[in-house]
Amino acid sequence: ADVCILEEPEHLNWYRAPGCSSWISKFRHCIGVAHTNYKAYARNHAPTGFLAAPLLAGINSLVVQANCHRVVKLSGVLQEFAPINREYIENVHGIRETYLKEGRRRRTSTVITEKRAYFIGKLLWAKGFNQLLELEACFRERTGDFFEIDIFGSGPDEGEIQRAFFNDRGDDESGVFQNSFNKWSGSSRRHRLPANFLGPSDHSSLAGDAYSIFINPSLTEVLCTTTAEAIAMNKWAIVPSHPSNAFFMQFPNCLSYRNRREFVSILEKARYNDPPPLSEELFRPLSWEAATMRCVRAAAISKRDAARDDRISRKTEEKTSSSKQVYRSISSSSSSPSEAVASYEGIGLVTP
């Protein structure tokens, strides 16, 4: 094959078995699709994140440049991996046809939808639950009450998150509840929040008219698939104004906020209005067909760049092949290890 697409090229190449050559020496054109913010995870969750994050970013950049001719990043949240002429920001992910069919159904439906809000995803603090607690507190300050939300999902932080929403200190071993929610909410801390934890569920099971408002306050996503799915199902999607959500700004049922006060105004709007129906032209960018075309466009390079990459690959391959031949020749002609070392010293492979 001439073309190879590497999903998460940094992750794939953190370790490479001894003697294995790079991907660009095996294929004429290698594209890396980066879609996980490892640098942010290291910075926010590693014990020494302030040291681990830049170190990991440097390693990521080295292994990606060594194995990819072109890097496609799902959003501008991700670190720089390569020179600007080798990087491209594009959403090359699509969603299942199931969600698009639901959106078309809701477009023509005359049923009055319930204005219930929900979140679906892994229950990790990194998914924006700190921000969600703060939004609840701000909403109560400005309206006099909390907003109700159904939360679907499970995860390692599920217990702590539930205690935070239900005003139950428990052991609070991580201190997340005390350090994040208390400092913002003030008197709201004494109240149990109207959140229902309903366990894991497939997003497609929430099709229908029971829910019409999806809230995703996360700031660590690269490009959130559940947001795309909610938009496709013609629900309101309320997200922070953030580079990870730039692709979704083209859809009229995506509402973004820059601060907590804007969130309150946007949620009030969503609670009293139906989302505008999406046209077929707006459904298409969410499909896998459109995502595939964007991937082809993002991966393309000029003939001049392709010729240059070919020359570099051939030189690298010739150099590797030459080194292996020298090694085999010396190993076969040397009768003892000391003679082999002497031979390597003679050609500069080992320093005396």
Side-chain angles (χ1 to χ4, degrees):
D2 290 332
V3 177
C4 176
I5 298 178
L6 303 175
E7 284 276 349
E8 299 199 3
E10 70 278 51
H11 193 174
L12 280 175
N13 294 287
W14 282 337
Y15 172 79
R16 190 167 65 222
C20 291
S21 55
S22 67
W23 290 95
I24 59 176
S25 67
K26 297 179 173 68
F27 298 90
R28 294 185 63 190
H29 190 48
C30 283
I31 306 109
V33 179
H35 51 73
T36 301
N37 198 347
Y38 291 111
K39 182 180 178 181
Y41 285 135
R43 181 176 60 247
N44 297 329
H45 301 287
T48 55
F50 68 99
L51 293 175
L55 177 62
L56 181 63
I59 294 172
N60 288 346
S61 180
L62 287 174
V63 298
V64 168
Q65 290 188 51
N67 289 277
C68 298
H69 297 107
R70 171 62 66 94
V71 185
V72 180
K73 304 192 297 186
L74 293 196
S75 75
V77 171
L78 292 173
Q79 67 168 86
E80 291 184 4
F81 292 99
I84 191 168
N85 63 321
R86 293 177 60 186
E87 279 195 354
Y88 200 94
I89 298 174
E90 187 64 87
N91 173 20
V92 296
H93 281 191
I95 59 173
R96 302 200 315 256
E97 185 66 23
T98 304
Y99 300 106
L100 300 174
K101 287 181 179 178
E102 169 62 11
R104 295 186 180 99
R105 184 199 68 79
R106 285 174 63 104
R107 183 176 60 185
T108 58
S109 175
T110 57
V111 177
I112 298 176
T113 58
E114 294 188 37
K115 304 302 188 294
R116 290 182 64 82
Y118 74 99
F119 168 87
I120 186 167
K122 199 164 188 179
L123 298 192
L124 295 168
W125 286 110
K127 293 296 184 180
F129 284 97
N130 283 328
Q131 290 81 6
L132 188 57
L133 288 168
E134 295 173 354
L135 295 173
E136 284 275 12
C138 184
F139 192 87
R140 183 176 185 274
E141 282 187 0
R142 300 186 66 81
T143 66
D145 203 359
F146 296 110
F147 62 87
E148 187 173 353
I149 186 168
D150 290 346
I151 297 174
F152 296 88
S154 61
D157 298 335
E158 182 174 357
E160 286 185 353
I161 292 169
Q162 288 191 21
R163 288 199 298 272
F165 276 83
F166 296 158
N167 189 20
D168 177 12
R169 283 182 182 272
D171 295 332
D172 195 22
E173 294 177 357
S174 69
V176 175
F177 182 21
Q178 182 178 359
N179 294 334
S180 63
F181 187 45
N182 285 1
K183 70 180 181 182
W184 163 252
S185 61
S187 61
S188 299
R189 166 67 183 87
R190 297 191 296 269
H191 298 269
R192 176 188 174 101
L193 301 183
N196 303 304
F197 289 82
L198 303 177
S201 179
D202 188 88
H203 203 173
S204 61
S205 68
L206 304 184
D209 301 311
Y211 296 95
S212 61
I213 305 171
F214 171 71
I215 299 175
N216 182 14
S218 175
L219 298 173
T220 61
E221 302 285 354
V222 176
L223 188 137
C224 187
T225 305
T226 52
T227 301
E229 293 166 352
I231 290 172
M233 289 192 288
N234 221 73
K235 302 178 187 292
W236 288 116
I238 300 179
V239 297
S241 181
H242 189 257
S244 63
N245 295 316
F247 176 79
F248 305 126
M249 296 300 103
Q250 62 184 298
F251 302 100
N253 58 330
C254 180
L255 305 176
S256 66
Y257 59 90
R258 291 170 296 181
N259 52 54
R260 301 182 187 99
R261 290 186 177 185
E262 280 194 3
F263 170 84
V264 175
S265 300
I266 285 172
L267 181 54
E268 288 288 81
K269 172 185 175 180
R271 294 172 77 182
Y272 293 102
N273 297 276
D274 289 327
L278 296 182
S279 64
E280 284 299 323
E281 289 74 17
L282 287 173
F283 277 126
R284 176 167 172 73
L286 297 166
S287 67
W288 272 110
E289 290 81 3
T292 301
M293 293 307 299
R294 291 195 296 268
C295 183
V296 171
R297 189 167 58 247
I301 60 175
S302 66
K303 291 182 178 179
R304 180 179 180 181
D305 288 341
R308 182 198 61 198
D309 290 339
D310 272 345
R311 289 196 301 271
I312 294 173
S313 295
R314 283 197 298 269
K315 287 181 180 178
T316 302
E317 188 176 350
E318 290 172 0
K319 185 176 180 180
T320 302
S321 176
S322 176
S323 297
K324 288 181 178 179
Q325 289 178 0
V326 169
Y327 175 82
R328 285 195 296 267
S329 175
I330 293 175
S331 298
S332 60
S333 61
S334 302
S335 57
S336 66
S338 59
E339 291 181 4
V341 170
S343 300
Y344 294 151
E345 292 175 355
I347 60 173
L349 295 179
V350 173
T351 302

